[in-house]
Amino acid sequence: MPELPEMETYKALLSKKTAGRTITAVSVERPKSVNMTAQQFIEQVSGRTITGYDRRAKQLLFLLDDGRLMALHLMLGGWMFYGREEDKPDRTSQVILSFGENQLYFMGLRLGHLHLYTQDEANQVFAELGPEPTAPSFTVEAFAALLSSKRGALKTKLLDQSIIAGIGNCYSDELCHHAGIRPDRSIGGLSQADYAALYRSMHAVFEEAIQYGGYMENPLYVGDTLTGGYNDRCKVYDRENQPCYRCGQPIVKEMLNSRKMFYCSNCQR
């Protein structure tokens, strides 16, 4: 599932491709992927110009010239491709936005969606989300105070979007490994030094992951050499039984509340 770095990658690449461009046509092949009837969505989005992009948690925001926005949540299995029809991957598209000769294809939206909101509607939808982990206002003191007020396993709380927005299964494990702390540690046993280490690691991991295009490997367009570059740089995620880059011990895979968890049993305390 795309997380904060993946959506930041889409944000950067789509800004170069489509910001300032007008949506010349819209196709909705799966009405459940939008939050109104397919015809209403087509009528209200066609002819609109994308003025820019933003991101909230794991959602990419398409900012429109009438003040509204489209919020994309790819969920599990969702991805995008921008280009000509002949270059498109052999996958079914649920929604297609046309920009003249090129199209933006939204694929794998079985669980995901592309919703059209007014700004007030978007504010209501996003009100239940926690703070952005890399926002300047989200200080190490705020991070420690927020997590220390919770109970349960560290990874479980990092995944809770109402606590901190944008962290998912991959990067919760990656930042815990960077900090040298097991993802299943009880929050009640964490010290202020642990919180400081986790906070530093959160910023370091996200910075590197964004720099290298996130871990999802499907290219956004023909010639895209950025998307997915972080996949080979993951230190623990999806590396079961492979040696830890820090100490050489094999990476362990376990399940925590029905979610995969990867860690090094030797160098994560």
Side-chain angles (χ1 to χ4, degrees):
M1 181 186 295
E3 303 177 33
L4 186 155
E6 287 69 46
M7 295 319 244
E8 283 291 335
T9 299
Y10 279 138
K11 173 185 167 184
L13 296 181
L14 282 176
S15 292
K16 296 177 181 178
K17 294 289 184 181
T18 64
R21 299 197 61 185
T22 297
I23 301 169
T24 55
V26 179
S27 175
V28 178
E29 303 299 323
R30 183 178 183 271
K32 288 184 178 180
S33 297
V34 297
N35 59 330
M36 55 189 67
T37 69
Q39 188 58 37
Q40 287 174 326
F41 188 86
I42 291 169
E43 292 175 353
Q44 295 186 43
V45 173
S46 296
R48 299 264 62 93
T49 297
I50 296 179
T51 59
Y53 288 88
D54 205 345
R55 181 195 56 77
R56 183 68 172 104
K58 301 177 185 178
Q59 300 189 54
L60 181 66
L61 310 182
F62 298 66
L63 309 180
L64 303 179
D65 60 349
D66 64 354
R68 292 184 296 176
L69 59 88
M70 291 185 292
L72 172 69
H73 201 322
L74 289 170
M75 299 293 285
L76 186 63
W79 54 299
M80 290 183 287
F81 181 81
Y82 178 80
R84 299 172 183 265
E85 185 176 1
E86 56 265 31
D87 297 323
K88 171 187 172 295
D90 187 19
R91 291 283 300 274
T92 301
S93 301
Q94 286 71 52
V95 182
I96 305 171
L97 303 182
S98 295
F99 300 87
E101 62 185 12
N102 290 311
Q103 287 78 43
L104 180 59
Y105 299 92
F106 299 85
M107 299 170 286
L109 296 185
R110 295 180 302 277
L111 301 175
H113 59 253
L114 182 64
H115 286 178
L116 179 64
Y117 296 128
T118 65
Q119 189 60 60
D120 286 343
E121 289 169 340
N123 291 340
Q124 292 179 16
V125 171
F126 300 148
E128 63 187 29
L129 295 172
E132 290 289 331
T134 57
S137 60
F138 192 48
T139 63
V140 63
E141 292 81 10
F143 173 78
L146 184 60
L147 274 187
S148 63
S149 67
K150 309 301 178 182
R151 295 292 179 266
L154 172 60
K155 179 183 175 78
T156 302
K157 300 310 172 186
L158 290 174
L159 294 177
D160 189 334
Q161 299 302 292
S162 68
I163 299 176
I164 303 175
I167 303 175
N169 217 32
C170 172
Y171 296 105
S172 58
D173 288 347
E174 289 295 304
L175 72 89
C176 284
H177 179 267
H178 190 281
I181 299 172
R182 276 182 50 153
D184 57 353
R185 274 277 299 277
S186 171
I187 284 182
L190 296 176
S191 66
Q192 289 302 311
D194 291 330
Y195 289 124
L198 287 165
Y199 183 84
R200 290 192 299 268
S201 295
M202 182 171 65
H203 281 257
V205 168
F206 278 146
E207 181 179 351
E208 181 182 5
I210 292 170
Q211 178 184 353
Y212 288 96
Y215 78 97
M216 290 183 60
E217 295 184 291
N218 296 318
L220 178 62
Y221 51 83
V222 174
D224 174 13
T225 59
L226 175 63
T227 300
Y230 186 73
N231 189 55
D232 291 335
R233 303 179 72 88
C234 285
K235 308 305 186 293
V236 290
Y237 185 74
D238 213 18
R239 296 192 64 244
E240 182 184 9
N241 296 324
Q242 297 181 48
C244 173
Y245 292 127
R246 191 156 52 201
C247 71
Q249 292 296 309
I251 299 300
V252 176
K253 174 187 175 183
E254 293 183 3
M255 301 300 292
L256 178 67
N257 296 332
S258 301
R259 304 295 292 270
K260 293 187 293 185
M261 176 179 69
F262 298 89
Y263 66 93
C264 175
S265 61
N266 181 58
C267 65
Q268 287 178 259
R269 62 189 185 277

